[in-house]
Each structure stands twice: as C-alpha cells, then as structure tokens.
Amino acid sequence: MNINFDLNDLQAFRAVVEKGSFRKAADAIRISQPALSRRIDKLETALGVKLFERTTRKVSLSMAGRAFIPDVERLLDDLDLALLGITGVASTRMTNVTIACVPSTAYYFMPQVVAEYHRLYPRTKVHVLDASASEVQGAVVSGEADFGLSFTGTLDPGIEFELLLQERYVMACRRDHALATAERVSWDEMYRQDYISLDRSSGNRLLLDQALVSVRPQKPGICETRHVTTMIGLVEAGLGVAAVPSIAMPLAGHPLLVSVPLVEPEVLRNVGLIRRRGHTLTPAALELERLVREMKCLPG
C-alpha cells in the first residue's frame, strides 16, 4: 500500500480537530487556508475516507476521523517527545505552547518559569495569555490555550482543576499608612479606610462577595478596577488600600508597599492548573506544566 501523505498533513488534521475550523487551524500552524485544505484533501485521498463532515457553519469529525485521531495524536506526541529529548534536533525545531493565566498568577509564576523553559527549550516560544478568570477558562475550553493557571470558583464542566497552592487575601497598603505596622486587620476595619475595589466582571470579586456575605462596607470604595495588578498600582500611587491575593503582592522589602493579613473572616483562594477535560497535552505543553508545578513555591 502506498501511503502518500506526510507529517505536515497529520499536523494539519490535528490542528483542525483542536481548533474546530479550517481558518483557525491555518492561523495556528501559520499557513494559508487553501494550503491547509489541500493538506486535508491529500490525507483523505491517501486514506480513502472522509475525515470531516463540513457544512457552511461548522466542521466536525466523521466516524473515520474520530477513529483516526487517537493514533495521529499518539504518533505526533511521540515524535515531539523524541525531538525535545535530542540535543541539536530540538534546538532547530520551532514550536509553540500557550498558557492562559489570571494576571496575579502570571506575575507570580511565569517570569521564573518562562526563563527556565527558554533555557531548556530555546526554540519553543511560550505565549502567555493574561486575562480574567472567565477568559482564561474560555481559552482552555476552546483550545486557544494548552492549559491555564487560575483559581477555583465557578468552573466550567469541561475543566479539570489541580490544586497548586492555597493563599489568603491581604490588605495592600503603603508603608506610610496608619495600618501598615498592624499584625492583622479585619475586613470591617479595612473598609473604613479609603479603599479600591474590583468590578463585578472580576473572578476575585465573585469569590469575595461569596465569602463576605456578613461584611458590609461602611462606605463605597473610591475607585473600582478590573484587575488586581491595577489595584496594586493605585495603592502604590497613594490612592488608598486594597484587598488582594497574597501572591499578587511584590517581593518582601518593596520600598513602598506592605501587606497585612485580613481576618474576621480569613478568606482563602485555591490556585491551580486547569486543563480541558479529556485533552492530552503536547510534550512541549507537558514540559511547561511540569515547570509550573515544580516552581510553584518560588516567591513572586
């Protein structure tokens, strides 16, 4: 039997399966849509079967395509793993891996992780999508990101969550603030200060609203933002205090900022890896995930 197709055709097939459209698949593997269509046609002709059911609105796997995809993924993943492990070959092959992160985890985890990953695999480009918790989940579910870093809350049924660490919320304030030297501060006391809050689109806001049902601020916040990292910038500028996850705070010894534990109640946040349920990561993504897991205790 003459098998008249190559690895490029198999990679095109997997890209269409993962992206759900010829246009998105072509963008992902950086070829034109007509070129991708030719690769799929070539593969179908060589196999003598239709791999996709195509309509004007969507692309879905045929029965033959569903039977074929596990073998294709296993073959391509084995090849990627072999190339990653061979000095010289891996260094000449450019690949990509995408991780979606909520901004606080991007700040805490990713600088050290990306630096180490680049040292090990200089020809693999890491794309970091820093976005809200709902956008991070959406990127993982849709396949735009290989995996994500986020916190528990309202998780999509298609998401698997692996706990990396549990952290507490703290009050961020300037060193010259009256409460900067306190051992701990209650939420009621913090809300009596000029404070910066999160808007309702924030996953952190949803988590805090659920945890603080018995705490009612005495006055409204002076400013509202979408991202924790923006809040910290406003605190540093002297606008007020803010409740933030501890990993979002700068390193100890920051010249302007300190964090004070918030109590009554103590509010905790579970941070972890999220994956699309049932999805097998590529070797490049598995290596990045391994580094995130191993370097989770580094300060950030």
Side-chain angles (χ1 to χ4, degrees), residues 97-111 113-114 126-140 144-151 164 204 227 229 247 269 271-274 288 292:
V97 60
T98 301
I99 177 173
C101 311
V102 292
S104 57
T105 63
Y107 173 85
Y108 178 82
F109 286 96
M110 296 315 297
V113 170
V114 172
V126 178
H127 298 264
V128 179
L129 302 178
D130 51 331
S132 68
S134 61
E135 291 169 332
V136 166
Q137 282 197 52
V140 173
E144 181 184 2
D146 293 285
F147 66 99
L149 269 171
S150 191
F151 50 89
L164 289 180
N204 281 286
H227 296 301
T229 46
I247 64 171
R269 188 176 81 157
V271 177
L273 293 162
I274 61 172
L288 182 62
V292 171

Side-chain angles (χ1 to χ4, degrees), residues 14 16 43 59-60 62 70 122 133-134 166 215 239 285 290 292:
R14 182 164 70 173
V16 175
L43 185 58
V59 176
S60 58
S62 66
S134 61
Q166 190 175 67
V215 178
L239 272 72
R290 177 185 65 80
V292 171

Side-chain angles (χ1 to χ4, degrees), residues 39-115:
R39 290 185 183 181
I40 298 300
D41 289 342
K42 177 184 171 186
L43 185 58
E44 290 179 330
T45 299
L47 296 173
V49 295
K50 283 292 182 185
L51 297 171
F52 295 103
E53 303 291 348
R54 303 173 223 188
T55 69
T56 55
R57 293 189 176 182
K58 67 176 184 176
V59 176
S60 58
L61 281 168
S62 66
M63 185 178 296
R66 288 194 296 273
F68 190 45
I69 187 60
D71 293 329
V72 172
E73 288 185 335
R74 185 162 51 250
L75 175 64
L76 293 178
D77 288 349
D78 286 347
L79 177 62
D80 282 348
L81 190 59
L83 291 176
L84 278 172
I86 299 175
T87 302
V89 175
S91 66
T92 63
R93 185 172 181 271
M94 191 67 188
T95 55
N96 296 276
V97 60
T98 301
I99 177 173
C101 311
V102 292
S104 57
T105 63
Y107 173 85
Y108 178 82
F109 286 96
M110 296 315 297
Q112 300 95 337
V113 170
V114 172

Side-chain angles (χ1 to χ4, degrees), residues 8-270:
N8 288 333
D9 304 327
L10 295 177
Q11 288 168 340
F13 171 62
R14 182 164 70 173
V16 175
V17 173
E18 290 182 346
K19 300 302 180 183
S21 84
F22 276 56
R23 179 183 61 79
K24 291 180 180 178
D27 290 344
I29 61 176
R30 293 177 171 80
I31 62 173
S32 68
Q33 190 169 332
L36 181 131
S37 295
R38 287 193 295 270
R39 290 185 183 181
I40 298 300
D41 289 342
K42 177 184 171 186
L43 185 58
E44 290 179 330
T45 299
L47 296 173
V49 295
K50 283 292 182 185
L51 297 171
F52 295 103
E53 303 291 348
R54 303 173 223 188
T55 69
T56 55
R57 293 189 176 182
K58 67 176 184 176
V59 176
S60 58
L61 281 168
S62 66
M63 185 178 296
R66 288 194 296 273
F68 190 45
I69 187 60
D71 293 329
V72 172
E73 288 185 335
R74 185 162 51 250
L75 175 64
L76 293 178
D77 288 349
D78 286 347
L79 177 62
D80 282 348
L81 190 59
L83 291 176
L84 278 172
I86 299 175
T87 302
V89 175
S91 66
T92 63
R93 185 172 181 271
M94 191 67 188
T95 55
N96 296 276
V97 60
T98 301
I99 177 173
C101 311
V102 292
S104 57
T105 63
Y107 173 85
Y108 178 82
F109 286 96
M110 296 315 297
Q112 300 95 337
V113 170
V114 172
E116 177 64 9
Y117 192 86
H118 179 67
R119 186 186 70 79
L120 293 172
Y121 308 110
R123 296 289 294 172
T124 299
K125 180 184 289 185
V126 178
H127 298 264
V128 179
L129 302 178
D130 51 331
S132 68
S134 61
E135 291 169 332
V136 166
Q137 282 197 52
V140 173
V141 170
S142 70
E144 181 184 2
D146 293 285
F147 66 99
L149 269 171
S150 191
F151 50 89
T152 53
T154 306
L155 291 177
D156 187 283
I159 288 290
E160 295 176 343
F161 180 85
E162 177 189 337
L163 180 66
L164 289 180
L165 60 87
Q166 190 175 67
E167 56 165 343
R168 68 187 303 167
Y169 280 84
V170 298
M171 184 186 75
C173 66
R174 285 175 56 103
R175 290 185 178 276
D176 56 5
H177 191 275
L179 296 176
T181 58
E183 290 187 8
R184 63 187 65 84
V185 173
S186 71
W187 289 88
D188 281 333
E189 191 172 12
M190 188 201 74
Y191 282 137
R192 287 196 290 270
Q193 315 301 312
D194 288 337
Y195 68 91
I196 301 148
S197 59
L198 291 161
D199 72 27
R200 295 187 181 277
S201 67
S202 165
N204 281 286
R205 169 67 179 270
L206 176 62
L207 189 154
L208 289 176
D209 284 350
Q210 292 171 341
L212 300 173
V213 290
S214 61
V215 178
R216 299 192 179 278
Q218 301 298 309
K219 60 181 182 178
I222 64 168
C223 183
E224 191 172 82
T225 74
R226 179 163 296 183
H227 296 301
V228 167
T229 46
T230 306
M231 295 174 74
I232 292 175
L234 295 174
V235 172
E236 188 172 354
L239 272 72
V241 301
V244 303
S246 59
I247 64 171
M249 289 296 292
L251 288 165
H254 188 279
L256 292 178
L257 297 178
V258 295
S259 62
V260 183
L262 281 164
V263 295
E264 300 176 17
E266 179 183 53
V267 181
L268 302 176
R269 188 176 81 157
N270 294 325

